[in-house]
Amino acid sequence: MSRPARVLGRPDSEDEDTRGMSAQQIYDMRQQKLDEQDNDLDQILASVRRQKEVGIAIGAETDDQLKLLGRLDGSVEREEHSKLHSSVHNLLHDPHSRRPPLAMPE
């Protein structure tokens, strides 16, 4: 479906922005608007690229933190096990303990 050609001075083919302008002036105005939109899109693209880079950096940092937490968790578990083992051993074998010796299950 083709659009009818612009007829200068005809009210239904012009709007407030174009009334009284020549075809060249209208073309130049539309081209300027397109250039402005292109610039806006370039700025949006640059922003999205920066956000992508930040997202990738956050993901890498999160991975590193998870690895550190995994190692810390393993260290804490080993330390807890060691202290628990040591405490049980001391309770069972300390001759100076004021508590009665614990009976070991058979």
Side-chain angles (χ1 to χ4, degrees), residues 14-76:
E14 294 189 37
D15 59 24
E16 292 297 318
D17 292 337
T18 61
R19 191 165 288 126
M21 297 174 80
S22 71
Q24 184 63 46
Q25 289 171 322
I26 292 172
Y27 174 82
D28 292 342
M29 181 185 72
R30 306 259 184 211
Q31 189 62 47
Q32 181 182 357
K33 286 183 181 181
L34 287 174
D35 291 344
E36 289 170 2
Q37 289 175 348
D38 284 346
N39 287 335
D40 291 344
L41 288 174
D42 288 342
Q43 290 176 0
I44 291 170
L45 178 61
S47 176
V48 168
R49 284 182 175 152
R50 281 191 303 273
Q51 289 175 357
K52 178 184 175 185
E53 291 170 3
V54 168
I56 290 170
I58 288 171
E61 179 67 23
T62 301
D63 289 344
D64 290 346
Q65 294 294 326
L66 285 172
K67 289 175 189 173
L68 289 172
L69 286 172
R71 283 190 231 142
L72 178 63
D73 187 44
S75 296
V76 168

